[in-house]
Amino acid sequence: MLLPVLSQILQRAVTGQSLQIYYQPIYDIHRKCFHSAEALARMIDPEYGMVSPAVFIPAAERSGLIVTLGEKIIESVYRFLSEHDIAALGLDCVEINLSVAQCMAQDLCGKVLRLQQQYGIDPRFIRFEITETTFGHISDVGQDTLKQLSGMGYRFALDDYGTGYSNIQRLSRTEFALIKIDKTLVDDLDKPHGSRR
């Protein structure tokens, strides 16, 4: 059960302008330049100010509003791409996070196609990102959705690899353009025996 305040904040986010998208640049150490950006949702409520994603995303998941919120994020990114020449910005693509609920929604591909056509977006400019935990929780329906999106020309990134239980065989079912290794796996690389003493 959500607190009334959180419920109000989420409702305002999905119906108003309190949801904002910031673009975090991603640096390529080989090319020595920024090559893409990740779309990060931030909520600035008119009454309560900045609301942390650590608060509003779990709340949206519990309330069932995460799919609606996710759709607003995708549309915001597509609108941004329709208004800017990302090649001129030096970017290959923009990454958009997908939740478990979005992956499981049978109409996700239809909604993405509608937005793609509405804003004239080339799928190669989008890379959908899912966390390893999300990937571990999606069923065959979710796998089919990812395959359909892939068939439409979209690419995928796997985030936080090493925090879940994915094996190579499971990963091979989806063609990931990028796998982001979780920070915890590399924190102790400079120590002789890792974190063990």
Side-chain angles (χ1 to χ4, degrees), residues 157-196:
L158 183 69
D159 196 14
D160 298 336
Y161 183 71
T163 58
Y165 301 99
S166 294
N167 56 41
I168 298 300
Q169 183 180 17
R170 181 167 169 75
L171 289 180
S172 67
R173 295 179 197 165
T174 302
E175 188 175 328
F176 289 104
L178 181 69
I179 295 179
K180 299 180 180 180
I181 297 173
D182 189 73
K183 178 178 176 292
T184 57
L185 292 180
V186 296
D187 277 344
D188 297 323
L189 282 180
D190 60 338
K191 297 176 183 175
H193 303 291
S195 59
R196 292 174 295 173

Coordinates of all heavy atoms in Angstrom, one line a residue, residues 157-196:
A157 N 21.0 -3.5 -24.3 CA 22.2 -3.5 -23.4 C 21.7 -4.2 -22.1 O 20.6 -4.1 -21.6 CB 22.6 -2.1 -23.0
L158 N 22.6 -5.0 -21.5 CA 22.4 -5.6 -20.2 C 23.2 -4.9 -19.2 O 24.4 -4.8 -19.3 CB 22.8 -7.1 -20.3 CG 22.5 -7.9 -19.0 CD1 21.0 -8.1 -18.8 CD2 23.2 -9.3 -19.1
D159 N 22.5 -4.4 -18.1 CA 23.1 -3.6 -17.1 C 23.3 -4.4 -15.8 O 22.6 -5.4 -15.6 CB 22.3 -2.4 -16.8 CG 23.1 -1.3 -16.0 OD1 24.3 -1.4 -15.9 OD2 22.4 -0.4 -15.5
D160 N 24.2 -4.0 -15.0 CA 24.5 -4.7 -13.7 C 24.8 -6.1 -13.8 O 24.5 -6.9 -12.9 CB 23.2 -4.5 -12.8 CG 22.9 -3.0 -12.5 OD1 23.9 -2.2 -12.6 OD2 21.8 -2.7 -12.1
Y161 N 25.5 -6.5 -14.9 CA 25.8 -8.0 -15.0 C 26.8 -8.4 -13.9 O 27.7 -7.7 -13.5 CB 26.5 -8.2 -16.3 CG 26.9 -9.7 -16.6 CD1 25.8 -10.6 -16.8 CD2 28.2 -10.2 -16.5 CE1 26.1 -11.9 -17.0 CE2 28.4 -11.5 -16.6 CZ 27.4 -12.4 -16.9 OH 27.7 -13.7 -17.0
G162 N 26.4 -9.5 -13.2 CA 27.2 -10.0 -12.1 C 26.4 -9.9 -10.8 O 26.8 -10.5 -9.8
T163 N 25.2 -9.2 -10.8 CA 24.4 -9.1 -9.6 C 23.3 -10.2 -9.6 O 22.7 -10.4 -8.5 CB 23.8 -7.7 -9.5 OG1 22.9 -7.5 -10.7 CG2 24.9 -6.6 -9.5
G164 N 23.0 -10.8 -10.7 CA 22.0 -11.8 -10.8 C 22.5 -13.2 -11.0 O 23.6 -13.5 -10.6
Y165 N 21.7 -14.0 -11.6 CA 22.1 -15.4 -11.8 C 22.1 -15.8 -13.3 O 21.9 -17.0 -13.6 CB 21.1 -16.3 -11.0 CG 21.2 -16.0 -9.5 CD1 20.2 -15.2 -9.0 CD2 22.2 -16.4 -8.7 CE1 20.2 -14.9 -7.6 CE2 22.2 -16.1 -7.4 CZ 21.2 -15.3 -6.8 OH 21.2 -15.0 -5.5
S166 N 22.3 -14.9 -14.2 CA 22.2 -15.3 -15.6 C 23.5 -16.1 -16.0 O 24.6 -15.8 -15.5 CB 22.2 -14.0 -16.5 OG 21.0 -13.3 -16.3
N167 N 23.2 -17.1 -16.8 CA 24.4 -17.9 -17.3 C 24.5 -17.6 -18.8 O 23.7 -16.9 -19.4 CB 24.2 -19.4 -17.0 CG 22.9 -19.9 -17.6 OD1 22.5 -19.6 -18.7 ND2 22.2 -20.8 -16.9
I168 N 25.6 -18.1 -19.4 CA 25.9 -17.8 -20.8 C 24.8 -18.3 -21.7 O 24.4 -17.6 -22.6 CB 27.3 -18.4 -21.2 CG1 28.4 -17.7 -20.3 CG2 27.5 -18.2 -22.6 CD1 28.5 -16.2 -20.5
Q169 N 24.3 -19.5 -21.4 CA 23.2 -20.0 -22.2 C 22.0 -19.1 -22.2 O 21.4 -18.9 -23.3 CB 22.9 -21.4 -21.7 CG 21.8 -22.1 -22.6 CD 21.5 -23.5 -22.1 OE1 21.7 -23.9 -21.0 NE2 20.9 -24.3 -23.0
R170 N 21.6 -18.6 -21.1 CA 20.4 -17.8 -21.0 C 20.7 -16.4 -21.7 O 19.9 -15.9 -22.4 CB 20.1 -17.5 -19.5 CG 18.8 -16.6 -19.4 CD 18.3 -16.7 -17.9 NE 17.3 -15.7 -17.7 CZ 16.1 -15.7 -18.1 NH1 15.7 -16.8 -18.8 NH2 15.2 -14.8 -17.8
L171 N 21.9 -15.9 -21.5 CA 22.3 -14.6 -22.2 C 22.2 -14.8 -23.7 O 21.9 -13.8 -24.4 CB 23.7 -14.2 -21.8 CG 23.8 -13.7 -20.3 CD1 25.2 -13.2 -20.1 CD2 22.8 -12.5 -20.1
S172 N 22.6 -16.0 -24.2 CA 22.6 -16.2 -25.7 C 21.3 -16.1 -26.3 O 21.2 -16.0 -27.5 CB 23.3 -17.5 -26.0 OG 22.5 -18.6 -25.6
R173 N 20.2 -16.2 -25.5 CA 18.9 -16.1 -26.1 C 18.5 -14.7 -26.6 O 17.6 -14.5 -27.4 CB 17.8 -16.6 -25.1 CG 17.9 -18.0 -24.7 CD 16.9 -18.3 -23.7 NE 17.2 -19.6 -23.0 CZ 16.6 -20.0 -21.9 NH1 15.7 -19.2 -21.3 NH2 16.9 -21.1 -21.3
T174 N 19.2 -13.7 -26.1 CA 19.0 -12.3 -26.5 C 20.3 -11.8 -27.0 O 21.3 -11.9 -26.3 CB 18.5 -11.5 -25.3 OG1 17.2 -12.0 -24.9 CG2 18.2 -10.0 -25.8
E175 N 20.3 -11.1 -28.1 CA 21.5 -10.5 -28.7 C 21.7 -9.2 -28.0 O 21.1 -8.2 -28.4 CB 21.4 -10.4 -30.2 CG 22.7 -10.0 -30.8 CD 22.6 -10.0 -32.3 OE1 21.9 -10.8 -32.9 OE2 23.3 -9.2 -33.0
F176 N 22.7 -9.1 -27.1 CA 23.0 -7.8 -26.4 C 24.1 -7.1 -27.2 O 25.2 -7.7 -27.5 CB 23.4 -8.1 -25.0 CG 22.3 -8.5 -24.1 CD1 22.2 -9.8 -23.7 CD2 21.3 -7.6 -23.7 CE1 21.1 -10.2 -22.9 CE2 20.3 -8.0 -22.9 CZ 20.2 -9.3 -22.5
A177 N 23.9 -5.9 -27.5 CA 24.9 -5.1 -28.2 C 26.0 -4.6 -27.1 O 27.1 -4.3 -27.5 CB 24.3 -3.8 -28.8
L178 N 25.6 -4.6 -25.9 CA 26.5 -4.1 -24.8 C 26.1 -4.8 -23.5 O 24.9 -5.0 -23.2 CB 26.3 -2.6 -24.7 CG 27.1 -1.9 -23.6 CD1 28.6 -1.9 -24.1 CD2 26.6 -0.4 -23.5
I179 N 27.2 -5.2 -22.8 CA 27.0 -5.8 -21.4 C 27.8 -4.9 -20.5 O 29.0 -4.8 -20.6 CB 27.4 -7.3 -21.4 CG1 26.5 -8.1 -22.2 CG2 27.3 -7.8 -19.9 CD1 26.8 -9.6 -22.3
K180 N 27.1 -4.3 -19.5 CA 27.7 -3.5 -18.5 C 28.0 -4.3 -17.2 O 27.0 -4.8 -16.6 CB 26.8 -2.3 -18.2 CG 26.5 -1.4 -19.4 CD 25.7 -0.2 -18.9 CE 25.3 0.7 -20.1 NZ 24.5 1.8 -19.7
I181 N 29.2 -4.5 -16.9 CA 29.6 -5.3 -15.8 C 29.4 -4.5 -14.5 O 29.8 -3.3 -14.4 CB 31.1 -5.7 -15.9 CG1 31.2 -6.7 -17.1 CG2 31.5 -6.4 -14.6 CD1 32.7 -7.0 -17.4
D182 N 28.8 -5.1 -13.5 CA 28.5 -4.4 -12.3 C 29.8 -4.0 -11.6 O 30.8 -4.7 -11.5 CB 27.6 -5.2 -11.3 CG 27.1 -4.4 -10.1 OD1 26.2 -3.6 -10.3 OD2 27.7 -4.6 -9.0
K183 N 29.7 -2.8 -11.0 CA 30.9 -2.2 -10.3 C 31.5 -3.1 -9.2 O 32.7 -3.2 -9.0 CB 30.5 -0.9 -9.7 CG 31.5 -0.2 -8.9 CD 30.9 1.2 -8.3 CE 31.9 1.9 -7.5 NZ 32.2 1.2 -6.2
T184 N 30.6 -3.9 -8.5 CA 31.1 -4.8 -7.5 C 32.0 -5.8 -7.9 O 32.8 -6.4 -7.2 CB 29.9 -5.5 -6.7 OG1 29.1 -6.2 -7.7 CG2 29.0 -4.4 -6.1
L185 N 32.0 -6.2 -9.2 CA 32.9 -7.2 -9.8 C 34.3 -6.7 -10.0 O 35.2 -7.5 -10.1 CB 32.3 -7.8 -11.1 CG 31.0 -8.6 -11.0 CD1 30.6 -9.1 -12.3 CD2 31.2 -9.8 -10.0
V186 N 34.4 -5.4 -10.1 CA 35.7 -4.8 -10.4 C 36.3 -4.0 -9.3 O 37.5 -3.5 -9.4 CB 35.7 -4.0 -11.7 CG1 35.3 -4.9 -12.9 CG2 34.7 -2.8 -11.6
D187 N 35.6 -3.8 -8.2 CA 36.0 -3.0 -7.1 C 37.4 -3.4 -6.6 O 38.2 -2.6 -6.2 CB 35.0 -2.9 -6.0 CG 33.9 -1.9 -6.3 OD1 34.1 -1.0 -7.1 OD2 32.9 -2.0 -5.6
D188 N 37.6 -4.7 -6.5 CA 38.8 -5.3 -5.8 C 39.8 -5.8 -6.8 O 40.7 -6.6 -6.4 CB 38.4 -6.4 -4.8 CG 37.5 -5.8 -3.7 OD1 37.7 -4.7 -3.3 OD2 36.6 -6.5 -3.3
L189 N 39.8 -5.4 -8.1 CA 40.7 -6.0 -9.0 C 42.2 -5.6 -8.7 O 43.1 -6.4 -9.1 CB 40.4 -5.4 -10.5 CG 39.2 -6.1 -11.2 CD1 39.0 -5.5 -12.5 CD2 39.4 -7.6 -11.3
D190 N 42.4 -4.5 -8.1 CA 43.8 -4.1 -7.8 C 44.3 -4.8 -6.5 O 45.5 -4.6 -6.2 CB 43.8 -2.6 -7.6 CG 43.0 -2.1 -6.5 OD1 42.0 -2.8 -6.1 OD2 43.2 -1.0 -6.0
K191 N 43.5 -5.6 -5.9 CA 44.0 -6.3 -4.7 C 44.4 -7.7 -5.1 O 43.8 -8.4 -5.9 CB 42.9 -6.4 -3.6 CG 42.4 -5.0 -3.1 CD 41.3 -5.2 -2.1 CE 40.8 -3.8 -1.7 NZ 39.6 -3.9 -0.9
P192 N 45.5 -8.2 -4.5 CA 46.1 -9.5 -4.9 C 45.1 -10.7 -4.9 O 45.1 -11.5 -5.7 CB 47.2 -9.8 -3.9 CG 47.5 -8.4 -3.3 CD 46.3 -7.6 -3.4
H193 N 44.2 -10.7 -3.9 CA 43.2 -11.8 -3.8 C 41.8 -11.3 -3.7 O 40.9 -11.9 -3.0 CB 43.5 -12.6 -2.5 CG 44.9 -13.2 -2.5 ND1 45.3 -14.2 -3.3 CD2 46.0 -12.8 -1.7 CE1 46.6 -14.4 -3.1 NE2 47.0 -13.6 -2.1
G194 N 41.5 -10.2 -4.4 CA 40.2 -9.6 -4.4 C 39.9 -9.1 -3.1 O 40.7 -8.5 -2.4
S195 N 38.6 -9.4 -2.6 CA 38.2 -8.9 -1.3 C 38.5 -9.9 -0.2 O 38.3 -9.7 1.0 CB 36.7 -8.7 -1.3 OG 36.0 -9.9 -1.7
R196 N 39.1 -11.1 -0.6 CA 39.4 -12.1 0.4 C 40.7 -11.7 1.2 O 41.7 -11.2 0.6 CB 39.6 -13.5 -0.2 CG 38.3 -14.0 -0.7 CD 38.5 -15.3 -1.4 NE 39.3 -15.1 -2.6 CZ 39.8 -16.1 -3.4 NH1 39.6 -17.3 -3.1 NH2 40.5 -15.8 -4.5

